Amino acid sequence: MNYIVYRIESQPDIAEILIAFLGELPFDTFEESTNGINAYIPEKLDSEEIDQQLKKWQSRFTFKFAKAVIPHQNWNELWESNFESIQVGNFCGIRADFHPTFDQVTHELIINPKMAFGTGHHATTYMMIQLMEDIEWKDKRVFDYGTGTGILAILAAKLGAHDIDAVDIEDLSYENTIENAQRNQVSGIEVYLGDLSVISKQGYDIILANINRNVILESLSALYEKLKEGGVILFSGILAADQALLLDAAEKQGFSLQKALQKGDWIALKMIKPVI
Amino acid sequence: MSKEIDGFVKLQVKGGQANPAPPVGPALGAKGLNIMEFCKRFNAKTQEMQGKVVPVVITVYKDKSFDFVIKTPPAAVQLLEAAKLKKGSSVPNRDKVGNVTWDQVKAIAENKMPDLNAFTIESAMKMVAGTARSMGLIVDGTPPWEGESASDN
């Protein structure tokens, strides 16, 4: 996705005020420059109204601005070009296509992330893979919520799941999951672009939810509806400080805790929807 | 032994909304850091400040690891937030002058004291009130020190 930078020349006190006002518009990030600030906005959210608004503010504050397009590129390329492969016990190894194959792992995944999230290096993904080891996958229906690179959906396919739906709200993740699924020669993964509302199906045996606290809290009731009775749900992307909050909300929803893992500041939970 | 520092990256990012696009992407990516790791950590740490502009200082180490510190939002951001609360509206009217109270100015001044070049809460409040006026916000009522000096006399 292309980005637009608004380069604003102003005194520091005006720059601070402009950041406050621009923060009310769809700008997401600001940085100080030598003579003011740079404000960044996704190209698809930029509009003539934003220019008009800035021109209006010029009557109240002294500043100049100019805009430029920053074409999309893989900013993470340097890290991705030399990251180390990673192993989750002997159960699973994750590598890029430039790494040699693993000697002693049961399941090998090749992930070229291209700025999507999920290589196994982060505790949240690592613990999901640890929790996936103890689950029976053969012929199961799986929903991967916030798939990122598709890493967990691809592992589910390798473990024998036959009908996997993977969704992500990011364009880059949607494209990357399709690429990585092909690279790993797995089938049975249907990839969707959007939020939870684009998934109308229900009756999943297993749900993977490696996202973040707020999205998980908002989605608990919909995820509960989508999971079969007796089904398993894995939660990750949660800080240890939020464990009690999330656990309480999930238990109120009807899920029952099976196992909790912690790695660094992060926790992951395995819960089930009890058979009533 | 402490790790050798390669440099600092100072940005202001909306809470919960860091993504690998510019300027986060080029600033961290050029140093060979895993941008996705930063975004995941930053977004989790700022989930209580969703959508609010927060300053972050990222320390990049020579071994390609990093740390970051989240600072309190700028006084102007907090003032705008306070004016919105007072109006009871979640949609700010960008052209209309808003109001804040001296209590709100004091709370913001206390919050920003470590970053302001002020020795007393009174001078910090004056600075915050000055920012408020520059923004077009009206500070309602009398400054507390004027009330105090009146009663002292």
Side-chain angles (χ1 to χ4, degrees):
Chain A
M1 187 198 327
N2 290 348
Y3 256 67
I4 305 288
V5 56
Y6 279 71
R7 297 198 174 96
I8 297 172
E9 281 181 43
S10 71
Q11 294 298 317
D13 55 333
I14 300 298
E16 182 190 324
I17 291 169
L18 287 174
I19 287 176
F21 285 125
L22 292 168
E24 303 289 323
L25 301 173
F27 290 91
D28 55 37
T29 312
F30 306 90
E31 66 176 346
E32 282 175 31
S33 63
T34 47
N35 50 6
I37 48 161
N38 293 330
Y40 295 84
I41 188 169
E43 188 176 38
K44 65 182 179 190
L45 298 179
D46 189 32
S47 66
E48 185 54 35
E49 281 93 72
I50 289 176
D51 282 34
Q52 292 305 326
Q53 186 62 54
L54 276 155
K55 283 173 188 156
K56 262 190 208 170
W57 285 332
Q58 279 180 318
S59 63
R60 288 169 59 192
F61 308 111
T62 309
F63 70 93
K64 288 195 276 190
F65 75 95
K67 53 197 267 189
V69 179
I70 304 175
H72 171 74
Q73 72 174 75
N74 181 0
W75 303 104
N76 212 27
E77 198 164 17
L78 186 56
W79 181 81
E80 291 174 14
S81 68
N82 61 12
F83 74 85
E84 287 179 21
S85 59
I86 188 158
Q87 244 179 280
V88 181
N90 289 331
F91 172 57
C92 180
I94 304 114
R95 65 177 182 87
D97 46 13
F98 57 79
H99 291 122
T101 54
F102 291 98
D103 286 335
Q104 289 178 326
V105 294
T106 314
H107 302 284
E108 178 173 274
L109 308 182
I110 304 166
I111 300 291
N112 286 357
K114 296 188 181 171
M115 285 207 297
F117 185 82
T119 51
H121 292 78
H122 198 270
T124 55
T125 318
Y126 189 95
M127 288 189 289
M128 284 296 274
I129 295 172
Q130 283 181 308
L131 289 173
M132 286 172 75
E133 189 172 2
D134 299 331
I135 296 172
E136 174 53 55
W137 295 87
K138 188 86 185 120
D139 296 331
K140 298 293 192 209
R141 292 188 61 214
V142 177
F143 173 45
D144 183 12
Y145 185 27
T147 191
T149 57
I151 181 171
L152 303 178
I154 293 164
L155 180 57
K158 289 200 171 230
L159 289 163
H162 76 92
D163 186 2
I164 303 157
D165 292 325
V167 71
D168 205 292
I169 202 160
E170 301 288 343
D171 297 347
L172 289 174
S173 297
Y174 170 79
E175 289 159 18
N176 194 237
T177 297
I178 294 170
E179 279 177 29
N180 284 325
Q182 285 167 352
R183 189 172 282 119
N184 286 276
Q185 298 173 325
V186 291
S187 57
I189 302 176
E190 188 81 31
V191 190
Y192 298 84
L193 176 64
D195 60 14
L196 198 50
S197 65
V198 302
I199 305 294
S200 54
K201 289 191 232 169
Q202 301 208 334
Y204 293 104
D205 299 295
I206 300 163
I207 295 180
L208 307 166
N210 178 15
I211 309 190
N212 66 47
R213 184 196 76 181
N214 289 349
V215 174
I216 290 173
L217 287 174
E218 283 163 19
S219 313
L220 277 176
S221 102
L223 294 174
Y224 189 81
E225 289 303 312
K226 290 191 179 302
L227 191 61
K228 263 188 194 165
E229 285 189 5
V232 178
I233 185 161
L234 305 183
F235 294 113
S236 193
I238 304 146
L239 289 172
D242 292 326
Q243 175 165 356
L245 178 81
L246 189 97
L247 197 52
D248 185 49
E251 283 176 343
K252 280 198 179 109
Q253 184 61 54
F255 294 114
S256 158
L257 182 67
Q258 291 272 293
K259 194 173 182 180
L261 295 181
Q262 180 163 356
K263 191 172 189 315
D265 291 343
W266 302 87
I267 56 128
L269 305 174
K270 176 186 179 185
M271 302 188 85
I272 57 159
K273 177 175 176 176
V275 178
I276 300 166
Chain B
M1 200 180 83
S2 61
K3 291 197 278 187
E4 216 179 327
I5 294 170
D6 186 25
F8 298 94
V9 179
K10 290 182 188 175
L11 299 169
Q12 300 204 28
V13 186
K14 278 188 183 165
Q17 292 183 20
N19 62 66
V24 175
L28 302 187
K31 293 180 184 293
L33 267 61
N34 185 4
I35 309 165
M36 306 314 296
E37 160 93 22
F38 167 76
C39 293
K40 190 84 173 174
R41 272 167 60 183
F42 176 86
N43 290 341
K45 296 269 185 198
T46 55
Q47 55 200 358
E48 303 289 355
M49 297 179 273
Q50 186 75 32
K52 198 189 275 191
V53 177
V54 287
V56 57
V57 179
I58 307 158
T59 307
V60 181
Y61 299 101
K62 288 247 163 90
D63 66 358
K64 308 282 178 223
S65 64
F66 65 89
D67 263 323
F68 63 87
V69 180
I70 291 161
K71 308 264 188 183
T72 53
V77 170
Q78 295 191 45
L79 282 163
L80 204 55
E81 199 71 19
K84 269 195 278 176
L85 281 178
K86 195 149 184 289
K87 276 191 291 188
S89 163
S90 59
V91 184
N93 182 331
R94 292 182 203 112
D95 302 316
K96 196 176 163 188
V97 176
N99 297 57
V100 289
T101 64
W102 279 103
D103 281 346
Q104 287 174 319
V105 168
K106 188 178 180 196
I108 295 166
E110 282 168 351
N111 184 268
K112 292 304 291 178
M113 267 297 266
D115 303 330
L116 291 171
N117 190 17
F119 292 111
T120 64
I121 187 66
E122 190 179 310
S123 57
M125 284 170 72
K126 283 178 182 165
M127 290 164 88
V128 173
T131 304
R133 290 189 198 99
S134 302
M135 293 172 77
L137 297 171
I138 293 166
V139 186
D140 287 337
T142 320
W145 53 85
E146 285 185 12
E148 276 166 27
S149 67
S151 63
D152 286 348
N153 293 333

